[in-house]
Structures are given as C-alpha cells and as structure tokens.
Amino acid sequence: MQINKDKQTPGHTISVLVENRAGVLARISGLFSARGYNIDSLSVGTTDDPQISRMTIVVRGDEQVLEQVCKQLNKLIDVIKVVDYLETPHIERNLALIKVAADKATRSELIQICDIFRAKIVDVSVESIIIEMTGDNEKIGALAKMLRPFGIKEVCQTGVVAMARGAKGISIQEERKPA
Amino acid sequence: MKTKTKNKKEITKEDLGLGKELTGAQILVEALIKEGVSQIFGIPGGSLLPAFDALYGSKVKVVLTRHEQGAAHMADGYARATGKVGVCIATSGPGATNLVTGLATANMDSIPVVAITGQVATHLIGNDAFQEADATGVMRPVTKHNFMVKNIQDLPRVLQEAFYIARTGRPGPVHVDIPVDIQRAKLKFEWPDNINIRSYKPKLVGHPLQIQRAIDLIGKSEKPLLYVGGGAILSGAKDELVALSEKAGIPVVHTLMANGAFPFDHPNYVGIMGMHGRYSSNIATQNCDLLISCGARFDDRVTGSVKTFSRNSKKIHIDVDPSNIGKTVAVDVPVVGDLKTVLAKITENVKSSDHKTWRKQIQEWDNKHPFTIKASKGSLQPQFLIQEVHKLTHGEAVVATGVGQHQMWAMQWYPCKNPRQFLTSGGLGTMGYGFPAALGATFGVTDKPVVCFDGDGSFQMTMTELGTAVQEKKKVIIVVINNYYLGMVRQWQELFYKQRFSGSNLSYFKDENSHKVHPDLKKLDYIPDFIKIAHAYGLKAVRIYKDEEIAGALKKAMASDKTFLIEAMISPGEKVWPMVPAGASLDETIVDMA
C-alpha cells in the first residue's frame, strides 16, 4: 500500500471557492475527466458562509497544464474564485486514519512511534490499533513507512486542505473573475 | 415607471404580468416574452404538457419540429443568423437526450441557445420513472451552463440567468430542466430587475497594457496577418476589423467559422485558411512575422501541426475566453476582452501602414495556386454549382451546410459578404446540421434567400424536418450534392486507406474502382429517390447531372414560393482540394493529387 505515490510531475495545490449548489462537484470532477487532467486528491467542505463551499484539489501537470486547469475552473459559472498556491507560502494538512496490526509484543513500540510523530491512537483492539495522523503528505508518508513493517491493514485519508500563511484571507469581494 | 407614449399612461405591474400569481408554465412563457423570444422550436411530451398548455395561444409561437435534434439546430441556426438567443424545448427522457447533439454543436461553436426540458415530477426524480433521464447530468459537458429548478421560487431568476449566461461573455447553450410539478406550482410572479451573478462577470475590456503591447508589435511588424475566427462574428466586430485592416494595411485570413466576418470583396481579403484553405492563406500564415488572432482558437483543423504552425511569427491573441489563450499555441501578447472593443482601441492608436510588398507577395502566392475548378469530365462540378449560386445571390444569401465535402466546397466557393450569413457546424462537425439550421434561420431572415448546401449523407440525417418546413410554409433552397457516398470519408479512404471504401457507400452500387472509372450516374440505383421524398411533402424538386442544367434549376428554385430541392448528381471521385493532411504542417498543402 502506497500513501505517497512517486510521480514525475509535481503536485500543485489549488483552492476553489464554489457556490454551494447541487451538481457543482460533478461539474468540477467532470471537467478534470473530460480534459484528461490528473487529480491526486480532492476535498470539499463548507466555509463560514453556508452558500460557499471550498474545494482543495491537488493536481499534477506542468505549468501549461496548471494554467489551463485554473482557467477552465474559472470558466465554470459556479466557480467564484480559484487560488493556486504554487508561489504562496501556505499550510497543507491531510488527515489519515491508519489501522495497523498490533499485539502485546508490538503495541508499545507503535505507541513510541506515534509519540515521535505526534499521532494519536484513537482505537485499540486485541489485534490492531487505529492511528490518527494529521500533517502534510510527506509527514504522513514518513509515518506510513515506519508502520509498514508492523502490517498496515487499512488506510483512509481526507485529502489535502490548504490555507495561505499570514493575515490575508481569500477575498471574494470586488473580484472580477474572467468568464 | 412611465411609458414614452403620448398619453403617458402609467404601466402597472399587472400590465407587465408582474405581481400576479402564475403557474411555473405561465412564468416560463412570460419569461420568454420578456426575453424577446418570438418562437420556440420543439416537441411536447408528458412532462411538458403544462408548458405547452401555457404556450397555446400565447405570443410565443410554437414551431413543432419532427425530431428534437432538429429543434436544437433550428434554435442554433436562428441564433447564428440573427444574433438573438434561439430557444428549443423538449420533453423529459428521450426528448432531452435527443437535444444533446444539437446543444453540443452550439457549444463547440459558442452559439447562444436556451434549451428547456421537461422533467419527471420532483418526487419521482431518481426513481427510474417513465421517460426519466438525468438530463442535467447528460447536458453538463455539452452546455455552457445548466440548471434544474427544484423550487418554483427559483424559476424566474433561473430563466433570466439562463438567457444572460447564454448571450454574454463567450456565448453558448444553457439548459434549464423543469420538473412537471414545478410547471404546475404557483408563484406570485416577479421578474428580477437586474442580474448579479457573483461567480460570473465576463471581462469585456482588454487590459490597456496588453493593448499597448499589441499596438507596438503591429507597428514593428513588416508582414502582419489578421487571423479571424468565429468570435469576430459573435462580437459583431466587422467594422472594427475592416478599420484595423485598412489603417494598418493588414491582410486577412479567416477560419471556417468566420466566413463573412470580413467582406470577401475587400482588397485586403486573402481567404479561408486551414486544412482545405487557400494556398495563399496558409502560406501567408506560415510566413508572416506577426499573427493577430481575433476570436479564433487555433483549432487543429486550422493549425495542422502545432509545432510548425506559423513558427517565425510573434502572436497576439484576442479572445473573450481566457482559457482559449495559450491552450494550444503559445502567444506573445494575450488580450482578454470583447473583440469589438479591443480592436477599436488598437485601431485608434496603431501606426498607419500599407505593407505593399507583403500584400503583393501574398497575391503572387494566390496567383500561383488559386482555387480552381477543373474541366468537367462530363459530370457536374460541385464547385461550379456553388459558384453559380454565389453569382445569382451576389454572395449575400444565408447559407447553411451539412458536414463533409460539400461543406468545404461551400466554404471555398461561397465566400460571404456579411457576418451571420454562413451557418455551419465547424467545431463539432455535426452531419445533418444544415437543413434544420437553414430552416431556423428563415424565422429571422426575411429579406434574403436561405440556401442549404447538403450532402446526400448529411441530408438524410435530418431531412425529416421537411415536414416542419412545409407546415410552417418556410422556404429553403436545398441543394443536395449527391455522390452516393459519405464523400469526405471516401476521400480519405481513397487517399490514405488504399481505396478500401469501408462503410462509406450509400447505394446498392458497389464499385471499388469508382476513383478511376466514371460510372454513368443516370443508371445508378440511388437510395433514396430524393425527388420522390420532396414530392411526398408536396414540394417541387429537380435532379441535375450537368453544369448546363444548373442555371435552369436555380431559376426554378428562386422562383418557387416553397422549399425547393435541387439534387445535383456528381461523380464520387470529386475531391476537396487543396488539402493539408491531418497533423501535417500548413507548408505541406497538397494542391491537387490528380
């Protein structure tokens, strides 16, 4: 099981603010499949404004592909704003739940590893534990690497969410989005 | 609010149909009237009965088509010919799916169309109800935007937004799915005063800095070329194009979609470019030092090999849709904005010039390989036929085409004088587009003849709309160029697939040597007999075999007050020249192989 896939082109993180309407997710995912763009992860959630949802998309491709992705996203009527974090200092977080085989003999070692990574153990049974880990993909990948010898039974991830550092938020006011 | 009439009678809200309690179906009709829709093309059905009941006796005329694809093409043809939004309507399920080809056609060519579909009642959605299809799901990739109305409160706003989105920015088709219970539900009707879609604000004014950079590049260029696409017609930029071309002395080449965007009889006009374009246009494109793209999108049928396309030129790309810029070809100066506005600003400050040497050079290329009609081998020459129609109508008729060889001949031999004259499916290449589009155009065009050049293959896809033409008493001059083959497929099979005419023959007549031997066209068993088909609809028709018969047939067609069909029999060996093979460079234009 691979958590971090090694690919040649770098992944870009894009935040997309969209109208919270039926069919918006289908529009976005349809755009990616129709135009043949590769998506690594996509996560959706509401914002403080219930009418606006925020999607974080990690997409692979060179500069030209990324430019097209952003332009095509902007072209969708329900898309309010697209932000590419390529040149912006930002925080990325991904939450992973990892179920690992654990018995009397290995449990304490696993707890130690979790401590080092500041991961939480959220469930424990006779034969396994579930570890909750938050971080960027690299950190989660590093944890997974450490856990692999114990026997990973299941992995589940939320996908990346991202936010720019600093005081400035994404403003949708006075925004002139090209159609 | 006051009227401007003499007696200054107050217009009440009720006069405008506002404030009354109306059903969803009545709101639909009111919305159509408020949007200035005079007719709607379509077919009723179970989930549209309330809508059609409201249309009955209303100011909006219902044009009953014979197939929903025809309805979409008619709305599209009407929109292209008039610049207004065309509207079509279809019932749920098969009605909606039948619209798809027509809307995809409009979408690829950026044509403003609003499509209304009925839907099963909201409580049945998702239950696999009778005539249920996920219409918004099916339409999503082939429209500019679409809506499903699940709440009667949303209906007026959605309809207004649908028209607004369809006609603004880069235009396109918008689909509105209205469940039957929403059509029956009641609402106090209010029409929103203004539209504000926060996520949709088309950028129309070009960036001043980019415009200045464009002006500078044009000033420095010695061999500039205007490359004009369909956006020039959508934007209504003919005068601005002519002004720029004249002031800066820039010759003009254009795409299939832009036939008529720049008058063909202007001295700076070079001609059509691309796969079946003029030799001079293509060579000029390859040799210019500045290519100014005006509402064009560097389609593969235009560029040939992208790697070698106009490789020594700087490029200015003006487009209202930013996603077109840099999509296939890298540009030096991108200008996002409405072409008409941007061109006017460029012309204002551009350096006057005449580029005499460059224009003379292009003229020499054109003299070397002009479009030519080869001497007849006894059978009718399709190019000659189209040229005759051009002469007779002074290049001012509204011309619709199907897709295939006849479309390319029409493009080559019917250069247009004005925009909105040439209706053709350029992007999607939809066979069967021509006749319903021509018919749709007749609802907006009353002062010019409407001609449809079609192929026998293409025409058979939508000739069922003859019924609509007859019922509506509309006149289209249909010229079916019959070579009893899917001619363009046949041409490629002959040139690139060793004359293996797989699946392209439309008759009983099997002749693998038809590229060498010229069969006696009068003795062939054609399927169908188009003359009899015309007769079945009470229409007149003539079949012609020779160039000498063309003039007489056209005279009859022009004199007729009904739709008239001319069936022109041509040899299946006729080909479209010149040709740039798919994926080859524009330098590799094959002028003729025979």
Side-chain angles (χ1 to χ4, degrees):
Chain A
M1 206 176 296
Q2 258 191 329
I3 293 184
N4 258 1
K5 291 174 197 145
D6 285 319
K7 287 178 193 166
Q8 286 172 342
T9 42
H12 292 256
T13 309
I14 301 170
S15 268
V16 188
L17 294 183
V18 298
E19 296 288 350
N20 184 10
R21 284 186 195 140
V24 174
L25 182 59
R27 265 180 229 289
I28 305 247
S29 60
L31 183 142
F32 278 84
S33 65
R35 299 206 177 251
Y37 304 137
N38 292 317
I39 232 175
D40 266 16
S41 76
L42 190 158
S43 69
V44 197
T46 49
T47 61
D48 55 328
D49 180 345
Q51 291 182 333
I52 298 177
S53 297
R54 178 162 173 160
M55 299 189 184
T56 312
I57 304 171
V58 180
V59 59
R60 280 184 192 277
D62 57 23
E63 206 179 311
Q64 205 211 344
V65 170
L66 256 290
E67 188 187 321
Q68 267 297 310
V69 168
C70 291
K71 282 177 171 177
Q72 295 293 347
L73 283 169
N74 260 318
K75 203 167 142 180
L76 295 176
I77 309 288
D78 284 335
V79 169
I80 302 166
K81 181 139 188 179
V82 180
V83 180
D84 180 0
Y85 285 118
L86 182 61
E87 281 165 6
T88 316
H90 64 283
I91 308 286
E92 286 188 8
R93 286 294 178 271
N94 186 358
L95 187 145
L97 294 176
I98 307 172
K99 191 179 281 180
V100 192
D103 54 21
K104 264 200 299 202
T106 56
R107 201 172 291 133
S108 58
E109 195 181 343
L110 280 165
I111 291 167
Q112 273 183 358
I113 292 172
C114 287
D115 277 348
I116 296 166
F117 280 88
R118 288 186 207 148
K120 273 192 270 180
I121 292 168
V122 289
D123 181 73
V124 63
S125 73
V126 180
E127 290 170 357
S128 70
I129 56 170
I130 298 178
I131 299 167
E132 176 195 317
M133 172 73 198
T134 307
D136 57 18
N137 281 336
E138 206 179 327
K139 198 171 167 191
I140 291 175
L143 173 65
K145 199 175 164 191
M146 293 302 293
L147 297 177
R148 203 161 291 134
F150 296 90
I152 293 177
K153 289 169 171 287
E154 198 177 339
V155 174
C156 178
Q157 293 190 68
T158 57
V160 169
V161 291
M163 193 174 274
R165 287 182 184 272
K168 211 175 152 211
I170 297 182
S171 154
I172 62 159
Q173 304 303 321
E174 303 300 315
E175 202 48 56
R176 286 195 66 82
K177 182 179 80 76
Chain B
M1 202 192 289
K2 284 184 177 177
T3 55
K4 283 174 186 168
T5 52
K6 281 174 197 165
N7 58 10
K8 289 189 178 171
K9 190 190 154 203
E10 295 279 335
I11 287 188
T12 63
K13 266 191 157 188
E14 302 223 326
D15 289 337
L16 292 164
L18 299 171
K20 277 189 289 188
E21 189 161 83
L22 299 180
T23 64
Q26 287 167 329
I27 289 171
L28 169 65
V29 176
E30 285 299 319
L32 293 175
I33 293 168
K34 291 207 182 328
E35 289 293 340
V37 177
S38 42
Q39 76 286 314
I40 180 166
F41 304 95
I43 307 181
S47 65
L48 269 184
L49 286 167
F52 270 75
D53 188 62
L55 284 164
Y56 191 72
S58 79
K59 285 182 204 157
V60 181
K61 180 184 169 55
V62 173
V63 179
L64 173 64
T65 66
R66 288 347 189 220
H67 189 285
E68 287 87 352
Q69 184 188 346
H73 289 328
M74 283 180 214
D76 169 316
Y78 173 82
R80 290 190 208 222
T82 62
K84 296 178 191 160
V85 179
V87 186
C88 55
I89 188 163
T91 194
S92 62
T97 54
N98 277 349
L99 282 180
V100 170
T101 305
L103 294 184
T105 306
N107 195 41
M108 284 290 264
D109 292 343
S110 313
I111 305 303
V113 168
V114 168
I116 310 288
T117 55
Q119 181 56 277
V120 300
T122 41
H123 69 275
L124 287 174
I125 289 173
N127 274 326
D128 301 326
F130 176 65
Q131 291 196 327
E132 182 186 358
D134 175 10
T136 47
V138 173
M139 303 289 195
R140 195 174 295 126
V142 299
T143 51
K144 181 173 175 185
H145 194 58
N146 59 8
F147 297 94
M148 184 198 268
V149 183
K150 282 192 167 173
N151 190 332
I152 181 76
Q153 254 80 32
D154 296 335
L155 187 61
R157 178 188 55 83
V158 162
L159 289 169
Q160 198 178 36
E161 286 185 5
F163 277 87
Y164 176 72
I165 292 170
R167 68 169 177 262
T168 52
R170 180 181 181 179
V174 178
H175 164 230
V176 184
D177 202 22
I178 312 176
V180 67
D181 55 326
I182 302 296
Q183 295 171 36
R184 282 192 294 254
K186 287 190 171 172
L187 176 75
K188 216 170 175 192
F189 178 55
E190 296 292 341
W191 191 241
D193 284 334
N194 52 12
I195 295 176
N196 181 18
I197 309 173
R198 66 175 161 190
S199 57
Y200 177 72
K201 306 260 191 247
K203 194 177 163 194
L204 300 177
V205 184
H207 196 286
L209 186 75
Q210 300 294 11
I211 289 177
Q212 190 51 49
R213 289 178 63 204
I215 292 169
D216 293 345
L217 271 188
I218 296 171
K220 277 183 219 150
S221 166
E222 280 169 16
K223 298 187 287 178
L225 191 66
L226 281 160
Y227 151 47
V228 178
I233 290 175
L234 297 167
S235 163
K238 179 192 167 192
D239 294 344
E240 287 74 11
L241 264 176
V242 172
L244 174 59
S245 168
E246 284 177 353
K247 185 173 177 193
I250 311 177
V252 176
V253 299
H254 67 89
T255 69
L256 169 65
M257 293 307 301
N259 189 356
F262 190 88
F264 76 92
D265 48 4
H266 192 283
N268 287 358
Y269 178 84
V270 180
I272 181 85
M273 67 188 302
M275 183 174 270
H276 293 294
R278 261 185 129 82
Y279 173 82
S280 53
S281 301
N282 286 346
I283 298 304
T285 305
Q286 292 301 75
N287 288 282
C288 64
D289 65 4
L290 175 67
L291 192 69
I292 310 158
S293 168
C294 303
R297 60 181 176 89
F298 296 87
D299 178 82
D300 58 288
R301 285 297 190 264
V302 161
T303 60
S305 157
V306 175
K307 271 187 195 156
T308 60
F309 176 74
S310 193
R311 45 177 141 11
N312 299 319
S313 66
K314 297 249 182 208
K315 290 170 192 78
I316 299 170
H317 191 164
I318 311 166
D319 205 307
V320 75
D321 177 358
S323 75
N324 271 344
I325 297 177
K327 186 170 67 180
T328 53
V329 171
V331 296
D332 300 276
V333 178
V335 189
V336 177
D338 173 44
L339 189 65
K340 191 181 169 80
T341 325
V342 172
L343 284 179
K345 287 214 174 113
I346 292 178
T347 308
E348 215 172 282
N349 294 313
V350 82
K351 197 173 88 180
S352 289
S353 190
D354 72 351
H355 298 294
K356 222 174 187 174
T357 335
W358 168 232
R359 278 161 54 206
K360 203 176 141 215
Q361 167 74 70
I362 295 175
Q363 189 56 50
E364 276 165 22
W365 284 324
D366 199 50
N367 294 344
K368 196 169 149 200
H369 295 296
F371 283 149
T372 44
I373 303 175
K374 279 193 292 174
S376 168
K377 293 193 183 93
S379 60
L380 189 145
Q381 305 288 294
Q383 301 90 341
F384 182 69
L385 166 69
I386 294 161
Q387 195 183 40
E388 286 299 294
V389 177
H390 192 269
K391 270 188 204 158
L392 198 67
T393 56
H394 313 291
E396 288 176 324
V398 170
V399 172
T401 78
V403 168
Q405 287 182 309
H406 70 276
Q407 178 192 27
M408 295 296 104
W409 287 321
M411 164 190 93
Q412 295 176 338
W413 295 93
Y414 205 102
C416 296
K417 210 164 194 164
N418 289 303
R420 305 208 170 277
Q421 247 185 279
F422 196 76
L423 323 176
T424 196
S425 169
L428 197 67
T430 309
M431 284 176 69
Y433 170 79
F435 178 51
L439 197 48
T442 63
F443 286 86
V445 177
T446 47
D447 55 342
K448 284 178 244 166
V450 177
V451 182
C452 170
F453 291 111
D454 227 331
D456 50 319
S458 223
F459 185 53
Q460 283 186 67
M461 290 199 177
T462 48
M463 64 183 179
T464 176
E465 300 303 342
L466 281 167
T468 312
V470 173
Q471 188 176 355
E472 295 296 330
K473 298 193 173 67
K474 292 291 181 184
K475 180 182 171 184
V476 175
I477 299 174
I478 306 165
V479 183
V480 176
I481 298 176
N482 189 346
N483 63 355
Y484 64 90
Y485 268 93
L486 299 171
M488 190 57 96
V489 173
R490 188 194 179 287
Q491 172 165 343
W492 285 52
Q493 287 172 335
E494 182 180 330
L495 298 175
F496 310 118
Y497 287 86
K498 300 180 181 151
Q499 294 92 45
R500 290 156 59 86
F501 301 123
S502 176
S504 53
N505 189 321
L506 290 159
S507 75
Y508 297 116
F509 181 72
K510 300 281 178 238
D511 181 6
E512 300 305 313
N513 290 319
S514 61
H515 57 292
K516 290 182 204 147
V517 187
H518 292 276
D520 184 349
L521 299 178
K522 285 190 181 171
K523 288 189 181 153
L524 295 176
D525 287 323
Y526 289 93
I527 315 171
D529 183 332
F530 285 111
I531 305 298
K532 280 188 186 156
I533 285 188
H535 288 169
Y537 284 95
L539 299 172
K540 288 189 180 138
V542 261
R543 182 177 290 139
I544 52 176
Y545 295 91
K546 284 191 161 47
D547 286 353
E548 301 82 69
E549 296 168 308
I550 293 171
L554 288 176
K555 214 170 152 188
K556 277 186 203 160
M558 293 293 275
S560 167
D561 57 352
K562 287 184 185 172
T563 286
F564 191 96
L565 189 141
I566 298 173
E567 189 188 13
M569 307 314 222
I570 67 159
S571 161
E574 287 292 345
K575 278 179 275 299
V576 183
W577 299 117
M579 178 173 188
V580 179
S585 162
L586 287 188
D587 308 300
E588 297 165 55
T589 300
I590 305 171
V591 181
D592 195 339
M593 267 162 98

